Amino acid sequence: MVTRMSRFFVRTLREDPADAEVPSHRLLVRAGYVRRAGPGIYSWLPLGLRVLRRIETIVREEMERIGSQEVSFPALLPKEPYEASGRWEEYGDNIFRLADRKGADMLLGPTHEEMFTLLVKDLYSSYKDLPLSIYQIQTKYRDEARPRAGLLRGREFVMKDSYSFDVDDDGLKRAYEAHREAYIRIFDRLGLDYVIVQAVSGAMGGSASEEFLATADNGEDTYVRSPGGYAANVEAVTTVAPAPLSDDAIAALPAAHVEDTPDTPTIETLVAAANERFARDDRPWGAHDTLKNVVMWVRQPDGSREILVVGLPGDREVDLKRLEAQLAPGEIEAFEDGDFASHPALVRGYIGPQVLGEDSESGIRYLVDPRIAAGTAWITGANEPGKHVFDLVFGRDFTADGTIEAAEVRAGDPAPDGSGPLELARGIEMGHIFQLGRKYADALGLEVLDENGKLVTVTMGSYGVGVSRAVAAIVENSHDEAGIVWPAEVAPFDVHLVATGKDPAIFDAAASLADDLAAAGLEVLYDDRPKVSPGVKFKDAELIGVPTIVVVGRGLAEGVVEVKDRRSGTRENIALDDAVATVKVRTARG
Amino acid sequence: MVTRMSRFFVRTLREDPADAEVPSHRLLVRAGYVRRAGPGIYSWLPLGLRVLRRIETIVREEMERIGSQEVSFPALLPKEPYEASGRWEEYGDNIFRLADRKGADMLLGPTHEEMFTLLVKDLYSSYKDLPLSIYQIQTKYRDEARPRAGLLRGREFVMKDSYSFDVDDDGLKRAYEAHREAYIRIFDRLGLDYVIVQAVSGAMGGSASEEFLATADNGEDTYVRSPGGYAANVEAVTTVAPAPLSDDAIAALPAAHVEDTPDTPTIETLVAAANERFARDDRPWGAHDTLKNVVMWVRQPDGSREILVVGLPGDREVDLKRLEAQLAPGEIEAFEDGDFASHPALVRGYIGPQVLGEDSESGIRYLVDPRIAAGTAWITGANEPGKHVFDLVFGRDFTADGTIEAAEVRAGDPAPDGSGPLELARGIEMGHIFQLGRKYADALGLEVLDENGKLVTVTMGSYGVGVSRAVAAIVENSHDEAGIVWPAEVAPFDVHLVATGKDPAIFDAAASLADDLAAAGLEVLYDDRPKVSPGVKFKDAELIGVPTIVVVGRGLAEGVVEVKDRRSGTRENIALDDAVATVKVRTARG
């Protein structure tokens, strides 16, 4: 097909949109791919829709290749299934809720685990029906607190979500592996730079889980990697704990002693005071020798809340995303002045672990960073204003109700698998695969008869690809100062043909070449605008980013056209007669 | 592609779903095309999605053919544009409204006039940019009071909506004609029996308008047609009024006279009393000689309301749909007992037109059926209990503030164009085209510079096709007792191949034939289920409705397979070697 620029519903902009924070947003709006319709809500212009459709096609082909079957669920959903799974409450403000004219509660689906589970329950009843993998490419909704970055974090977006259904764990693992391979093919074909990282499952429940992140300096997600190949999102990193000391070694450690430490409300002032008045011979005290105890409320979706104190080395901050991933679906709330007043066991600024723990008198839950291992000795609060305790040993002088991964991860921390020091990097979450297990099947009663005629609960996997987000992520990965540089497989057109000058013979030759290119099976964008200067046409072509640009201009007199590679910028004169063959070779898709 | 029934995500049902009111709902659920997800909300199974996609493809091809360009708008929309056009209020309970986490009002789009208008305003500024036609195929929402009939009237549905933008009325007419022709091609390709009827524009505003109705005895829409080719929906039918009499002729008519008519609260009792006590020589009185005056409130979207009295011949009922189409966006509310008490001019059961009209003392608005023409004489209320007036002549004894098309249309009524008596029929609205004019461009300020550098308001057309509804309408048009009979162009598969018996050679031959058919470019549904009886397989094939069914069974020993035409039921034995060629000819698409 030939699309003529003179009639094409597109306008490029010279100025960046005022609200654009990232290159993809800036370029997709300027080049006429999308337009903002509201906060976090975009309309697709013909250019944008072409890219979106090409991505959908790739996703569809790879899903079909692993035998997944396409279905399509409504976006507007009844509350009841989400209430049965607990997610109606868990999602809090993050979903759009509404009531219909009869007052029935409904939601705009953020993901469809419940609906897929119920559909399979409706249709299937025997182990012989399984395994099953079904998917949809569908519009989803999330009421983001801060919609930002254009298509990267919108409130209405297109996702591919798929679900696998198996009778046993081995089946689930096979389904998971098949999806993993399909995702590798998808993101390879999309031309993305990406990493696969270990992930915790978060609010979705379940066990094994990996994310596909497009690498991007301004990505929202932080992940870590090691020289030895370990990669994980920050929420999933586990801390390498020191080896615990034996009981005998612990007994040989110096006894704990309480010291006056006036005016030491912060870790810095405490360390300074310790070095001034209680100096050690071998090495100075550091923040890593102190144990700070952070107190907070944890609120559950049912509205109940309890106090939690988290103990961690004084040189580490709490990472809220890591902490919340551990506590989900619970959410953190601040512990206020009034809360201290009504809990006198917690002495603000001087909380020590001696009074904490579910078995202690206070009954307050106490979880510690894994670095707080048996035999480690700490300076920490003495539960009296102005006093700290030194040489307080874990496993001898205090204990905890368990460990928690709440501390920040830092560059240089050891990878949990021993593959070297961690490096921090940023990315955009493009895909997520995980082994859900039986959470939804249990909640909604999805059982089948097994070989022995016994009812067994089905085990599920859940797999997502951000389809509209991919449009933006590809641009983040692939652009330059002049505009977008599309990988051939997702480009809106195969070739951008530009006619320059005013000579009608040039326009005739270009129109005829456009037809020949289309006849060769290519999608052609033909810039036939009669009164637009070559400079503007070239600028528009670079901004729009079709990978192969053909210019019909003055060279026509010598029977040549110019073929330009958008990515490298290289130009080549080609005989007009060879143009179709040359372009066809260049635009061949992966 | 070959899809094997043994792994296909489908289950046919022997029983009709309890809530199915119409054949399409019953058959689409039983055959495994869709499943109910909530009231008026459906999930698409793979079979259903295949049909939906084929319909989308046809619509897309025909839209592209008339140069319309595809875009895609969000379904979740901000309130403001709909407030500017007045539709936020006009739609009343018929749209889904919601508030986001910040309390901003939003809606789920029922149609997108406002958004298209604003997008064109954003991109275009000159007459040279026009004409423009853009379309989307998108999910829409309406909070129907009574979602019913499966996909025929759902609350979430897929529509193609397109809009044309022109600088003048001639351009709009050309765009309208192009759409009209595209729609004819679309509905022809869908294999629908349909009629094109004149329509009034209703709540959408605008002027020329036609509907494409699929003929269906249980359709929701009533339309009329005449032997001479007139066709209109009931709302659009205009009444053939009698020729008005001259003033002289009117003056010569008998004078009006009030008569006691006790115990005549209904038209029937009044006519009986008239014939008993005031008999005419030439012919008996009939209900058509009486003028009844129906009183109601008309409430506007802004909440204001006024009284309206509608006068019509006593033998005609008010047709609420016709009346409301005339009064839109106003809505009718009942005139209650208390309202009569506070409006003594209106004597219940004996209202006469002498006291009505905006210029009368009561100031009450009075509109009459066009049959109430100058010189027509009536028996009507005398505005006193128990009394009627005879020979009350319109244009002499009373007047009105105008005419209104509020009376029911009946079979036998004359077509307004003189093409003969009307016949009533029922259909399903599949498409609607109309010349919107400048309503939205005015409301939202869509102007362009004309040739003289002057700002002119753009004129628009609006055009819709019910895409998901078409799936059901086609089934309504094309099914039999055994199941669905798909037209080839929209069938989920090109051929349904059934292997029968237990002989592995049969299954081998069938599998190989399936591959050969797929290699010839056909979409093949291959029923390879090993332990299912031929009877069940044939029943399923008839229910699912693929137009060509090929059976590989006992005939294989003689080298033949059976090719069956689903619609006619004819069967033919074909040499296995000729099967691909034969099937390919039979399944060739329009």
Side-chain angles (χ1 to χ4, degrees):
Chain A
M1 270 260 304
V2 177
T3 299
R4 284 172 177 256
M5 197 83 167
S6 60
R7 301 316 312 163
F8 194 39
F9 188 54
V10 66
R11 284 295 176 271
T12 56
L13 305 175
R14 295 289 155 242
E15 303 292 326
D16 289 341
D19 61 337
E21 305 165 56
V22 294
S24 61
H25 187 187
R26 187 165 55 79
L27 292 171
L28 288 168
V29 171
R30 277 192 49 205
Y33 285 78
V34 297
R35 278 290 185 281
R36 183 178 181 279
I41 297 177
Y42 289 84
S43 301
W44 297 85
L45 301 188
L47 268 179
L49 198 58
R50 282 172 166 262
V51 176
L52 186 70
R53 289 278 154 73
R54 284 199 163 176
I55 295 173
E56 286 177 3
T57 299
I58 290 171
V59 171
R60 197 168 272 128
E61 285 171 0
E62 296 302 340
M63 292 309 298
E64 301 283 340
R65 191 206 288 250
I66 63 167
S68 199
Q69 300 182 55
E70 189 171 3
V71 296
S72 182
F73 282 87
L76 180 65
L77 298 170
K79 172 178 69 171
E80 290 70 20
Y82 288 77
E83 219 167 25
S85 70
R87 295 209 297 173
W88 175 258
E89 285 189 335
E90 275 173 41
Y91 268 114
D93 283 343
N94 295 311
I95 53 171
F96 287 101
R97 298 154 196 270
L98 67 160
D100 71 8
R101 64 196 293 153
K102 289 179 179 156
D105 283 325
M106 309 192 77
L107 70 153
L108 298 180
T111 61
H112 280 71
E113 279 79 356
E114 289 84 350
M115 302 306 295
F116 274 81
T117 306
L118 288 174
L119 184 64
V120 175
K121 182 181 175 185
D122 179 10
L123 265 70
Y124 279 0
S125 57
S126 161
Y127 75 98
K128 291 184 211 155
D129 298 328
L130 304 180
L132 171 70
S133 166
I134 45 183
Y135 76 100
Q136 64 176 345
I137 295 179
Q138 192 250 11
T139 304
K140 299 207 178 318
Y141 297 86
R142 259 178 237 188
D143 198 358
E144 294 286 348
R146 287 169 299 279
R148 56 177 289 277
L151 299 177
L152 288 177
R153 184 161 291 277
R155 299 200 293 173
E156 173 172 321
F157 50 94
V158 180
M159 272 191 70
K160 186 284 296 175
D161 53 330
S162 50
Y163 303 88
S164 64
F165 299 85
D166 285 276
V167 75
D168 57 26
D169 294 348
D170 283 349
L172 171 56
K173 273 178 201 138
R174 279 191 298 273
Y176 183 91
E177 276 309 313
H179 268 90
R180 195 177 194 277
E181 282 159 31
Y183 278 34
I184 289 171
R185 282 191 294 266
I186 288 168
F187 295 117
D188 284 348
R189 289 180 64 184
L190 294 184
L192 281 172
D193 289 330
Y194 66 95
V195 290
I196 305 174
V197 305
Q198 293 177 30
V200 291
S201 48
M204 315 272 285
S207 46
S209 169
E210 286 167 293
E211 285 175 4
F212 291 72
L213 300 180
T215 59
D217 291 344
N218 51 17
E220 266 200 332
D221 291 284
T222 304
Y223 69 96
V224 301
R225 56 188 172 205
S226 76
Y230 174 82
N233 72 10
V234 164
E235 291 88 334
V237 176
T238 52
T239 301
V240 179
L245 295 193
S246 69
D247 287 353
D248 287 353
I250 290 177
L253 292 172
H257 46 105
V258 174
E259 304 290 350
D260 279 329
T261 52
D263 303 324
T264 55
T266 64
I267 298 290
E268 290 72 29
T269 52
L270 174 61
V271 168
N275 279 318
E276 192 175 320
R277 300 171 41 216
F278 311 100
R280 279 193 298 205
D281 293 342
D282 52 348
R283 61 195 190 285
W285 298 106
H288 60 276
D289 294 312
T290 68
L291 167 65
K292 70 177 168 192
N293 295 294
V294 180
V295 56
M296 66 198 75
W297 289 107
V298 181
R299 184 177 292 277
Q300 299 302 325
D302 66 6
S304 69
R305 62 176 196 173
E306 65 157 2
I307 301 174
L308 171 67
V309 178
V310 171
L312 67 165
D315 66 333
R316 301 252 167 191
E317 295 304 319
V318 168
D319 179 327
L320 267 180
K321 278 181 80 173
R322 274 167 60 76
L323 177 59
E324 288 192 333
Q326 300 283 314
L327 298 175
E331 291 187 354
I332 307 297
E333 289 182 3
F335 201 77
E336 313 270 2
D337 287 357
D339 296 323
F340 278 104
S342 53
H343 293 88
L346 299 172
V347 181
R348 188 170 203 164
Y350 298 92
I351 299 172
Q354 307 90 325
V355 300
L356 300 172
E358 288 175 347
D359 297 334
S360 74
E361 205 174 312
S362 73
I364 292 171
R365 191 153 179 245
Y366 184 52
L367 299 173
V368 294
D369 183 85
R371 292 173 191 84
I372 322 296
T376 53
W378 303 92
I379 305 175
T380 190
N383 299 305
E384 267 187 83
K387 289 180 191 289
H388 280 90
V389 58
F390 286 62
D391 290 321
L392 196 76
V393 172
F394 189 74
R396 181 189 74 183
D397 305 324
F398 73 104
T399 57
D401 298 314
T403 61
I404 187 165
E405 293 289 354
E408 58 179 325
V409 175
R410 285 195 206 137
D413 284 349
D417 65 355
S419 60
L422 295 178
E423 175 186 74
L424 293 171
R426 300 185 74 79
I428 300 163
E429 185 183 337
M430 293 310 310
H432 193 176
I433 54 177
F434 65 105
Q435 299 178 24
L436 265 186
R438 296 180 174 83
K439 173 178 168 168
Y440 293 93
D442 269 336
L444 298 163
L446 171 55
E447 298 177 313
V448 293
L449 289 170
D450 73 6
E451 285 169 294
N452 308 312
K454 230 181 57 187
L455 279 173
V456 294
T457 302
V458 169
T459 183
M460 292 167 56
S462 163
Y463 317 91
V465 169
V467 174
S468 49
R469 179 180 282 179
V471 177
I474 293 166
V475 177
E476 291 293 333
N477 266 194
S478 188
H479 68 272
D480 59 23
E481 277 307 299
I484 302 171
V485 187
W486 291 111
E489 261 211 80
V490 299
F493 291 94
D494 297 312
V495 55
H496 190 142
L497 179 65
V498 178
T500 65
K502 290 176 186 166
D503 183 351
I506 287 176
F507 283 80
D508 288 348
S512 159
L513 178 55
D515 288 341
D516 292 347
L517 290 164
L522 300 176
E523 288 286 329
V524 183
L525 178 61
Y526 168 34
D527 194 344
D528 63 333
R529 292 175 295 175
K531 288 176 185 168
V532 175
S533 75
V536 168
K537 287 184 177 180
F538 295 149
K539 268 210 164 66
D540 279 346
E542 302 228 301
L543 183 58
I544 289 171
V546 174
T548 300
I549 300 168
V550 175
V551 183
V552 182
R554 268 171 297 181
L556 186 68
E558 286 84 53
V560 297
V561 298
E562 184 182 275
V563 179
K564 180 173 167 187
D565 182 80
R566 170 68 185 88
R567 189 176 299 276
S568 66
T570 55
R571 300 144 187 272
E572 206 180 340
N573 280 330
I574 302 283
L576 179 61
D577 292 344
D578 300 335
V580 172
T582 304
V583 172
K584 189 129 173 87
V585 168
R586 280 169 178 265
T587 57
R589 295 180 175 211
Chain B
M1 270 255 308
V2 178
T3 299
R4 285 173 177 256
M5 197 82 169
S6 60
R7 303 314 311 161
F8 194 39
F9 187 53
V10 64
R11 286 292 177 273
T12 55
L13 305 175
R14 295 289 153 242
E15 303 292 326
D16 289 341
D19 61 338
E21 303 165 55
V22 294
S24 61
H25 187 189
R26 187 164 57 79
L27 291 171
L28 288 168
V29 171
R30 276 190 50 204
Y33 285 78
V34 297
R35 279 289 186 280
R36 184 179 180 277
I41 298 175
Y42 289 83
S43 302
W44 296 86
L45 302 187
L47 267 179
L49 199 57
R50 283 172 166 263
V51 176
L52 187 68
R53 289 278 153 71
R54 285 197 163 178
I55 294 173
E56 286 177 4
T57 299
I58 290 170
V59 172
R60 197 168 272 125
E61 286 171 1
E62 297 301 340
M63 292 309 297
E64 301 285 338
R65 192 206 288 250
I66 62 167
S68 199
Q69 301 182 54
E70 190 171 4
V71 296
S72 181
F73 281 87
L76 180 65
L77 299 170
K79 172 179 66 171
E80 290 71 19
Y82 287 77
E83 222 168 21
S85 71
R87 293 210 299 174
W88 176 260
E89 284 189 334
E90 274 173 40
Y91 267 115
D93 283 344
N94 294 312
I95 53 171
F96 288 102
R97 298 153 195 269
L98 67 161
D100 72 6
R101 64 195 295 153
K102 289 176 179 157
D105 283 324
M106 308 192 78
L107 71 153
L108 298 180
T111 61
H112 280 69
E113 277 80 355
E114 289 84 350
M115 302 306 295
F116 273 81
T117 306
L118 288 173
L119 184 65
V120 174
K121 182 181 175 182
D122 180 10
L123 264 68
Y124 279 1
S125 58
S126 161
Y127 76 97
K128 291 184 211 155
D129 298 328
L130 304 180
L132 171 70
S133 166
I134 44 183
Y135 77 99
Q136 63 176 348
I137 296 179
Q138 192 249 10
T139 304
K140 298 207 179 317
Y141 297 88
R142 259 178 236 187
D143 197 358
E144 293 287 347
R146 289 168 298 278
R148 58 177 286 278
L151 300 177
L152 288 178
R153 184 162 290 277
R155 299 199 295 173
E156 173 173 320
F157 50 95
V158 180
M159 269 191 70
K160 187 283 297 176
D161 52 331
S162 51
Y163 304 88
S164 64
F165 300 85
D166 284 276
V167 77
D168 58 25
D169 293 348
D170 282 350
L172 171 55
K173 273 179 203 143
R174 278 192 298 273
Y176 183 91
E177 276 308 312
H179 267 89
R180 194 176 194 277
E181 281 159 32
Y183 277 35
I184 289 171
R185 282 191 294 267
I186 288 168
F187 296 117
D188 283 349
R189 289 180 65 184
L190 294 183
L192 280 173
D193 290 327
Y194 66 96
V195 290
I196 305 174
V197 304
Q198 293 178 30
V200 290
S201 48
M204 317 272 283
S207 46
S209 168
E210 286 166 294
E211 285 174 5
F212 291 71
L213 301 179
T215 57
D217 291 342
N218 50 17
E220 266 201 333
D221 292 285
T222 303
Y223 69 97
V224 300
R225 57 189 171 202
S226 76
Y230 174 82
N233 71 13
V234 164
E235 290 88 332
V237 176
T238 52
T239 301
V240 179
L245 295 194
S246 68
D247 289 352
D248 288 352
I250 290 177
L253 292 171
H257 46 104
V258 174
E259 303 290 349
D260 279 328
T261 52
D263 303 325
T264 55
T266 63
I267 299 291
E268 289 74 27
T269 51
L270 173 61
V271 170
N275 280 319
E276 193 174 318
R277 301 176 33 221
F278 310 101
R280 282 194 293 206
D281 292 343
D282 51 347
R283 60 194 191 284
W285 298 106
H288 60 276
D289 294 312
T290 69
L291 166 64
K292 69 178 167 191
N293 294 294
V294 181
V295 56
M296 65 199 75
W297 289 105
V298 180
R299 183 177 292 277
Q300 298 303 325
D302 66 7
S304 68
R305 63 177 194 172
E306 65 157 0
I307 301 175
L308 171 66
V309 177
V310 173
L312 67 165
D315 65 332
R316 300 254 166 190
E317 295 305 319
V318 167
D319 180 327
L320 267 180
K321 280 180 82 173
R322 275 167 60 76
L323 177 59
E324 289 192 333
Q326 301 284 315
L327 298 174
E331 290 188 354
I332 307 298
E333 290 181 2
F335 200 78
E336 314 269 3
D337 285 357
D339 297 322
F340 278 103
S342 53
H343 292 87
L346 300 171
V347 181
R348 188 171 206 164
Y350 297 90
I351 300 172
Q354 306 89 324
V355 299
L356 301 172
E358 289 173 349
D359 297 333
S360 73
E361 203 175 314
S362 72
I364 293 172
R365 193 155 178 244
Y366 184 53
L367 298 173
V368 294
D369 183 86
R371 292 175 191 84
I372 321 296
T376 53
W378 303 92
I379 305 175
T380 189
N383 298 305
E384 268 189 84
K387 288 180 194 291
H388 281 90
V389 57
F390 285 62
D391 291 318
L392 196 75
V393 172
F394 189 74
R396 181 188 73 183
D397 305 323
F398 72 105
T399 58
D401 298 313
T403 60
I404 187 165
E405 292 289 354
E408 59 180 324
V409 176
R410 287 197 205 135
D413 284 350
D417 65 352
S419 60
L422 296 176
E423 171 185 79
L424 292 171
R426 300 185 74 79
I428 300 163
E429 184 184 337
M430 293 309 311
H432 193 177
I433 55 179
F434 65 104
Q435 299 178 25
L436 264 185
R438 297 180 173 83
K439 171 177 171 171
Y440 293 94
D442 269 335
L444 298 162
L446 171 57
E447 298 177 313
V448 293
L449 290 171
D450 73 6
E451 286 170 296
N452 308 313
K454 229 182 56 186
L455 279 173
V456 293
T457 302
V458 170
T459 183
M460 294 168 55
S462 163
Y463 316 89
V465 170
V467 174
S468 48
R469 180 181 282 180
V471 177
I474 293 167
V475 177
E476 291 292 335
N477 266 194
S478 187
H479 68 271
D480 59 23
E481 276 307 299
I484 301 170
V485 185
W486 291 110
E489 263 212 79
V490 299
F493 292 93
D494 297 311
V495 53
H496 190 142
L497 179 66
V498 178
T500 64
K502 290 177 184 165
D503 182 353
I506 287 175
F507 283 81
D508 289 347
S512 160
L513 177 57
D515 289 340
D516 293 346
L517 289 164
L522 299 176
E523 288 286 329
V524 184
L525 177 60
Y526 168 33
D527 194 344
D528 63 334
R529 292 175 295 174
K531 287 179 184 164
V532 174
S533 74
V536 168
K537 288 183 177 180
F538 294 149
K539 268 210 164 63
D540 279 346
E542 303 228 300
L543 182 58
I544 289 171
V546 174
T548 301
I549 300 166
V550 175
V551 182
V552 183
R554 268 172 295 182
L556 186 68
E558 284 86 52
V560 298
V561 298
E562 184 182 276
V563 178
K564 181 174 164 183
D565 182 80
R566 171 68 184 89
R567 190 175 299 274
S568 67
T570 55
R571 301 143 186 268
E572 204 182 343
N573 280 331
I574 302 281
L576 179 59
D577 292 343
D578 300 337
V580 172
T582 304
V583 171
K584 193 133 170 81
V585 169
R586 279 170 178 265
T587 58
R589 295 181 179 211

